[in-house]
Amino acid sequence: MSSNLEITRKACVVGWPIAHSRSPIIHNFWLTHLGLAGSYESVAVTPPDFASFAHDLAANGFVGANVTIPHKQTAFEVCGKVSPTAASLGAVNTLWLEHGALCGDNTDVAGFLAALDEEAPGWDTASGPAVVLGAGGAARAVVHALRHRGKRVLLANRTRARAESLATDAGAGVEVYDWAQLPSALEGASLLVNTTSLGMKGHPALDIDLAPLPPHAVVNDIVYFPLETTLLRAAKSRGLRTVSGVGMLLHQAAPGFERWFGVRPSVTPELRGLVEADVLKSL
Ligand code: ATR
Protein backbone atom coordinates (compact mmCIF):
# COMPACT_ATOMS: atom_id res chain seq x y z
CA MET A 1 0.00 0.00 0.00
CA SER A 2 2.61 2.55 1.07
CA SER A 3 4.96 1.65 -1.79
CA ASN A 4 2.14 2.25 -4.29
CA LEU A 5 1.61 5.68 -2.78
CA GLU A 6 5.32 6.43 -3.02
CA ILE A 7 5.36 5.54 -6.69
CA THR A 8 2.61 8.02 -7.43
CA ARG A 9 4.09 10.90 -5.43
CA LYS A 10 4.62 13.84 -7.69
CA ALA A 11 5.56 17.44 -6.80
CA CYS A 12 6.45 20.51 -8.81
CA VAL A 13 7.66 24.09 -8.82
CA VAL A 14 5.18 26.55 -10.20
CA GLY A 15 6.03 30.04 -11.44
CA TRP A 16 5.91 32.39 -14.41
CA PRO A 17 8.36 32.19 -16.08
CA ILE A 18 9.77 28.93 -14.69
CA ALA A 19 12.37 27.70 -17.21
CA HIS A 20 15.38 28.79 -15.12
CA SER A 21 14.28 27.29 -11.79
CA ARG A 22 16.93 25.07 -10.20
CA SER A 23 14.37 23.35 -7.96
CA PRO A 24 13.97 20.30 -10.26
CA ILE A 25 17.74 19.66 -10.09
CA ILE A 26 17.64 19.78 -6.28
CA HIS A 27 14.57 17.60 -5.72
CA ASN A 28 15.44 15.07 -8.41
CA PHE A 29 18.93 14.75 -6.91
CA TRP A 30 17.38 13.91 -3.53
CA LEU A 31 14.84 11.50 -5.05
CA THR A 32 17.63 9.63 -6.84
CA HIS A 33 20.05 9.58 -3.91
CA LEU A 34 17.42 8.50 -1.41
CA GLY A 35 16.11 5.85 -3.79
CA LEU A 36 12.56 7.22 -3.70
CA ALA A 37 10.12 6.63 -6.54
CA GLY A 38 8.70 10.15 -6.80
CA SER A 39 9.02 12.85 -9.41
CA TYR A 40 9.42 16.63 -9.46
CA GLU A 41 8.80 18.88 -12.44
CA SER A 42 8.50 22.56 -13.46
CA VAL A 43 5.07 23.93 -14.31
CA ALA A 44 4.59 27.32 -15.98
CA VAL A 45 1.36 28.94 -14.81
CA THR A 46 0.29 32.51 -15.59
CA PRO A 47 -0.95 34.78 -12.78
CA PRO A 48 -4.64 34.58 -13.83
CA ASP A 49 -4.46 30.77 -13.81
CA PHE A 50 -2.62 30.28 -10.52
CA ALA A 51 -5.58 30.09 -8.11
CA SER A 52 -7.27 27.34 -10.12
CA PHE A 53 -3.95 25.49 -10.53
CA ALA A 54 -3.52 25.50 -6.74
CA HIS A 55 -7.13 24.46 -6.21
CA ASP A 56 -6.68 21.50 -8.61
CA LEU A 57 -3.25 20.48 -7.27
CA ALA A 58 -4.38 17.09 -5.92
CA ALA A 59 -6.72 16.47 -8.86
CA ASN A 60 -3.70 16.90 -11.13
CA GLY A 61 -1.81 14.24 -9.19
CA PHE A 62 0.50 16.48 -7.13
CA VAL A 63 1.18 15.96 -3.42
CA GLY A 64 2.56 19.48 -3.17
CA ALA A 65 4.47 22.27 -4.86
CA ASN A 66 7.05 24.96 -4.52
CA VAL A 67 5.76 28.37 -5.49
CA THR A 68 7.96 31.05 -6.95
CA ILE A 69 7.69 34.49 -8.54
CA PRO A 70 5.09 35.93 -9.05
CA HIS A 71 2.69 33.63 -7.16
CA LYS A 72 3.82 33.68 -3.51
CA GLN A 73 1.15 36.13 -2.30
CA THR A 74 -1.68 34.43 -4.21
CA ALA A 75 -0.51 31.08 -2.85
CA PHE A 76 -0.89 32.50 0.65
CA GLU A 77 -4.42 33.68 -0.13
CA VAL A 78 -5.63 30.34 -1.50
CA CYS A 79 -4.36 28.20 1.41
CA GLY A 80 -6.82 26.85 3.95
CA LYS A 81 -4.07 26.65 6.59
CA VAL A 82 -0.68 28.38 6.78
CA SER A 83 2.32 28.21 9.12
CA PRO A 84 2.92 31.11 11.53
CA THR A 85 5.91 32.17 9.37
CA ALA A 86 3.81 32.33 6.20
CA ALA A 87 1.10 34.20 8.12
CA SER A 88 3.63 36.82 9.24
CA LEU A 89 4.93 37.31 5.71
CA GLY A 90 1.67 37.00 3.78
CA ALA A 91 3.59 34.80 1.32
CA VAL A 92 3.79 31.04 0.74
CA ASN A 93 6.54 29.21 -1.19
CA THR A 94 5.67 25.61 -0.23
CA LEU A 95 2.29 23.91 -0.62
CA TRP A 96 1.11 20.51 0.59
CA LEU A 97 -2.18 18.79 1.30
CA GLU A 98 -3.61 17.65 4.63
CA HIS A 99 -6.86 15.66 4.38
CA GLY A 100 -7.54 17.44 1.09
CA ALA A 101 -6.91 20.93 2.49
CA LEU A 102 -4.25 23.12 0.89
CA CYS A 103 -1.57 24.11 3.43
CA GLY A 104 1.31 26.56 3.05
CA ASP A 105 4.62 27.52 4.61
CA ASN A 106 7.35 30.01 3.78
CA THR A 107 10.63 28.13 3.92
CA ASP A 108 12.74 31.06 2.68
CA VAL A 109 13.07 32.10 6.33
CA ALA A 110 14.43 28.74 7.53
CA GLY A 111 16.52 28.41 4.35
CA PHE A 112 18.18 31.78 4.88
CA LEU A 113 19.03 30.94 8.51
CA ALA A 114 20.26 27.42 7.73
CA ALA A 115 22.65 28.75 5.07
CA LEU A 116 24.11 31.32 7.46
CA ASP A 117 24.38 28.78 10.28
CA GLU A 118 26.18 26.35 7.99
CA GLU A 119 28.50 28.75 6.21
CA ALA A 120 29.13 31.41 8.85
CA PRO A 121 28.68 29.70 12.24
CA GLY A 122 28.46 32.12 15.14
CA TRP A 123 27.09 34.92 12.96
CA ASP A 124 24.11 35.45 15.25
CA THR A 125 26.08 35.82 18.47
CA ALA A 126 28.48 38.46 17.09
CA SER A 127 27.79 41.92 18.44
CA GLY A 128 26.29 44.57 16.19
CA PRO A 129 23.13 44.83 14.10
CA ALA A 130 22.43 43.42 10.64
CA VAL A 131 22.16 45.76 7.66
CA VAL A 132 19.60 44.61 5.08
CA LEU A 133 19.45 46.12 1.60
CA GLY A 134 16.10 45.98 -0.21
CA ALA A 135 12.43 45.92 0.74
CA GLY A 136 10.79 43.37 -1.60
CA GLY A 137 9.47 39.92 -0.76
CA ALA A 138 12.94 38.49 -0.18
CA ALA A 139 13.77 41.30 2.24
CA ARG A 140 10.60 40.53 4.21
CA ALA A 141 11.69 36.90 4.68
CA VAL A 142 15.24 37.93 5.63
CA VAL A 143 14.12 40.58 8.14
CA HIS A 144 11.68 38.12 9.71
CA ALA A 145 14.46 35.55 10.04
CA LEU A 146 16.89 38.02 11.59
CA ARG A 147 14.31 39.27 14.11
CA HIS A 148 13.53 35.66 14.98
CA ARG A 149 17.18 35.29 16.01
CA GLY A 150 17.05 38.54 17.96
CA LYS A 151 19.16 40.60 15.57
CA ARG A 152 18.50 44.32 15.35
CA VAL A 153 18.01 45.29 11.69
CA LEU A 154 19.03 48.47 9.88
CA LEU A 155 17.07 48.54 6.64
CA ALA A 156 17.93 50.57 3.52
CA ASN A 157 16.12 50.59 0.20
CA ARG A 158 16.22 52.76 -2.92
CA THR A 159 12.55 53.60 -2.33
CA ARG A 160 12.49 54.59 1.34
CA ALA A 161 8.69 54.33 1.64
CA ARG A 162 8.83 50.58 0.92
CA ALA A 163 11.43 50.11 3.66
CA GLU A 164 9.23 52.05 6.06
CA SER A 165 6.25 49.89 5.27
CA LEU A 166 8.34 46.72 5.81
CA ALA A 167 9.66 48.09 9.12
CA THR A 168 6.12 48.93 10.31
CA ASP A 169 4.94 45.40 9.49
CA ALA A 170 8.01 43.81 11.14
CA GLY A 171 7.49 45.69 14.42
CA ALA A 172 10.19 46.60 16.94
CA GLY A 173 13.89 46.21 16.18
CA VAL A 174 13.92 47.42 12.56
CA GLU A 175 15.25 50.88 11.81
CA VAL A 176 15.07 52.51 8.37
CA TYR A 177 18.16 54.19 6.93
CA ASP A 178 18.48 56.25 3.76
CA TRP A 179 20.68 54.64 1.11
CA ALA A 180 23.02 57.62 1.50
CA GLN A 181 23.41 56.78 5.21
CA LEU A 182 24.81 53.30 4.48
CA PRO A 183 28.36 54.15 5.63
CA SER A 184 27.10 54.91 9.13
CA ALA A 185 24.77 51.87 9.12
CA LEU A 186 27.66 49.57 8.19
CA GLU A 187 29.88 50.90 10.97
CA GLY A 188 29.68 48.30 13.73
CA ALA A 189 27.35 45.95 11.79
CA SER A 190 27.96 42.21 12.19
CA LEU A 191 26.11 41.20 9.03
CA LEU A 192 25.27 42.73 5.65
CA VAL A 193 22.59 41.08 3.50
CA ASN A 194 21.78 42.09 -0.07
CA THR A 195 18.21 41.18 -1.03
CA THR A 196 17.98 43.56 -4.00
CA SER A 197 18.38 42.45 -7.59
CA LEU A 198 21.56 44.52 -7.85
CA GLY A 199 24.48 42.27 -8.80
CA MET A 200 22.30 39.73 -10.58
CA LYS A 201 23.31 39.00 -14.17
CA GLY A 202 21.74 41.61 -16.42
CA HIS A 203 21.34 44.12 -13.55
CA PRO A 204 23.71 46.85 -12.38
CA ALA A 205 26.32 45.86 -9.79
CA LEU A 206 25.77 46.66 -6.13
CA ASP A 207 28.54 49.16 -5.66
CA ILE A 208 28.94 50.09 -2.01
CA ASP A 209 32.01 50.78 0.07
CA LEU A 210 32.51 47.98 2.60
CA ALA A 211 35.32 49.82 4.42
CA PRO A 212 33.13 50.78 7.43
CA LEU A 213 32.27 47.12 8.22
CA PRO A 214 34.21 45.68 11.18
CA PRO A 215 36.56 42.72 10.45
CA HIS A 216 34.21 40.17 12.07
CA ALA A 217 31.30 41.10 9.77
CA VAL A 218 29.70 38.52 7.48
CA VAL A 219 28.48 39.52 4.01
CA ASN A 220 25.58 37.52 2.53
CA ASP A 221 24.30 38.10 -1.00
CA ILE A 222 21.11 36.17 -1.68
CA VAL A 223 21.78 36.65 -5.39
CA TYR A 224 23.33 33.42 -6.75
CA PHE A 225 23.40 34.23 -10.45
CA PRO A 226 26.41 34.77 -10.79
CA LEU A 227 27.74 32.67 -7.91
CA GLU A 228 30.21 35.34 -6.88
CA THR A 229 28.72 38.81 -7.15
CA THR A 230 30.74 42.02 -7.12
CA LEU A 231 29.62 42.49 -3.52
CA LEU A 232 30.95 39.09 -2.42
CA ARG A 233 34.20 39.63 -4.31
CA ALA A 234 34.71 42.98 -2.58
CA ALA A 235 33.94 41.40 0.81
CA LYS A 236 36.42 38.56 0.20
CA SER A 237 39.13 40.97 -0.82
CA ARG A 238 38.58 42.75 2.50
CA GLY A 239 39.02 39.40 4.26
CA LEU A 240 35.38 39.21 5.43
CA ARG A 241 33.43 35.95 5.69
CA THR A 242 30.96 35.59 2.82
CA VAL A 243 27.81 33.55 2.14
CA SER A 244 26.42 33.22 -1.39
CA GLY A 245 22.75 32.80 -2.33
CA VAL A 246 23.13 29.13 -3.25
CA GLY A 247 22.91 27.97 0.36
CA MET A 248 19.51 29.61 0.87
CA LEU A 249 18.28 28.12 -2.42
CA LEU A 250 19.33 24.63 -1.31
CA HIS A 251 18.14 24.83 2.28
CA GLN A 252 14.72 26.34 1.50
CA ALA A 253 13.99 23.23 -0.58
CA ALA A 254 14.46 20.68 2.23
CA PRO A 255 11.25 21.20 4.28
CA GLY A 256 8.99 20.79 1.23
CA PHE A 257 10.79 17.62 0.14
CA GLU A 258 10.33 16.17 3.62
CA ARG A 259 6.60 16.94 3.65
CA TRP A 260 5.98 15.44 0.19
CA PHE A 261 8.30 12.45 0.21
CA GLY A 262 8.58 11.69 3.94
CA VAL A 263 12.37 11.89 4.30
CA ARG A 264 14.44 14.86 5.49
CA PRO A 265 17.10 15.35 2.79
CA SER A 266 20.63 16.68 3.32
CA VAL A 267 22.34 19.57 1.60
CA THR A 268 25.56 17.86 0.58
CA PRO A 269 28.67 19.23 -1.16
CA GLU A 270 27.76 17.03 -4.14
CA LEU A 271 24.33 18.68 -4.48
CA ARG A 272 25.84 22.14 -4.07
CA GLY A 273 28.40 21.33 -6.78
CA LEU A 274 25.66 20.16 -9.12
CA VAL A 275 23.62 23.35 -8.71
CA GLU A 276 26.68 25.58 -8.94
CA ALA A 277 27.75 23.83 -12.14
CA ASP A 278 24.28 24.43 -13.60
CA VAL A 279 24.47 28.14 -12.71
CA LEU A 280 27.94 28.43 -14.29
CA LYS A 281 26.72 26.66 -17.42
CA SER A 282 23.90 29.15 -17.95
CA LEU A 283 25.90 32.31 -17.26
P1 ATR B 1 11.85 40.33 -4.46
O1 ATR B 1 10.42 39.99 -4.15
O2 ATR B 1 12.60 39.24 -5.14
O3 ATR B 1 12.58 40.84 -3.27
P2 ATR B 1 11.18 42.94 -5.64
O4 ATR B 1 9.95 43.06 -4.82
O5 ATR B 1 11.09 43.27 -7.10
O6 ATR B 1 11.78 41.46 -5.61
O7 ATR B 1 12.33 43.80 -4.96
C1 ATR B 1 13.52 44.09 -5.61
C2 ATR B 1 14.40 44.93 -4.67
O8 ATR B 1 15.55 45.33 -5.41
C3 ATR B 1 13.72 46.20 -4.18
O9 ATR B 1 14.20 46.49 -2.89
C4 ATR B 1 14.20 47.22 -5.19
O10 ATR B 1 14.19 48.56 -4.73
P3 ATR B 1 12.85 49.47 -4.88
O11 ATR B 1 11.94 49.05 -3.78
O12 ATR B 1 13.35 50.85 -4.75
O13 ATR B 1 12.30 49.15 -6.26
C5 ATR B 1 15.63 46.77 -5.38
N1 ATR B 1 16.21 47.28 -6.64
C6 ATR B 1 15.95 46.84 -7.88
N2 ATR B 1 16.67 47.55 -8.79
C7 ATR B 1 17.40 48.46 -8.08
C8 ATR B 1 18.35 49.48 -8.43
N3 ATR B 1 18.70 49.70 -9.71
N4 ATR B 1 18.90 50.20 -7.42
C9 ATR B 1 18.58 49.97 -6.13
N5 ATR B 1 17.69 49.02 -5.74
C10 ATR B 1 17.11 48.28 -6.69
Side-chain angles (χ1 to χ4, degrees), residues 69 133-139 157-159 162 179 195-198 203-204:
I69 290 166
L133 307 177
N157 190 47
R158 174 179 61 179
T159 311
R162 268 187 109 190
W179 199 269
T195 76
T196 75
S197 47
L198 293 172
H203 295 253

Side-chain angles (χ1 to χ4, degrees), residues 110-250:
F112 169 77
L113 291 173
L116 269 174
D117 288 342
E118 183 190 351
E119 297 174 56
W123 69 272
D124 55 343
T125 51
S127 67
V131 174
V132 175
L133 307 177
R140 283 182 181 266
V142 165
V143 169
H144 184 85
L146 293 169
R147 291 303 301 141
H148 180 69
R149 287 289 181 89
K151 269 282 169 202
R152 197 158 67 84
V153 174
L154 313 184
L155 184 64
N157 190 47
R158 174 179 61 179
T159 311
R160 186 182 165 106
R162 268 187 109 190
E164 276 165 359
S165 147
L166 196 168
T168 303
D169 293 347
V174 182
E175 208 177 319
V176 175
Y177 274 63
D178 278 332
W179 199 269
Q181 293 175 294
L182 271 178
S184 66
L186 294 176
E187 217 172 286
S190 58
L191 175 68
L192 169 64
V193 187
N194 174 45
T195 76
T196 75
S197 47
L198 293 172
M200 200 181 288
K201 188 176 156 75
H203 295 253
L206 173 56
D207 188 18
I208 57 171
D209 182 11
L210 300 181
L213 279 173
H216 70 268
V218 172
V219 176
N220 182 356
D221 200 336
I222 71 163
V223 169
Y224 62 84
F225 192 70
L227 295 169
E228 189 182 75
T229 58
T230 310
L231 175 71
L232 292 182
R233 203 158 48 244
K236 276 182 194 163
S237 71
R238 255 218 56 195
L240 303 175
R241 284 199 291 171
T242 61
V243 177
S244 85
V246 173
M248 179 175 174
L249 172 72
L250 298 173

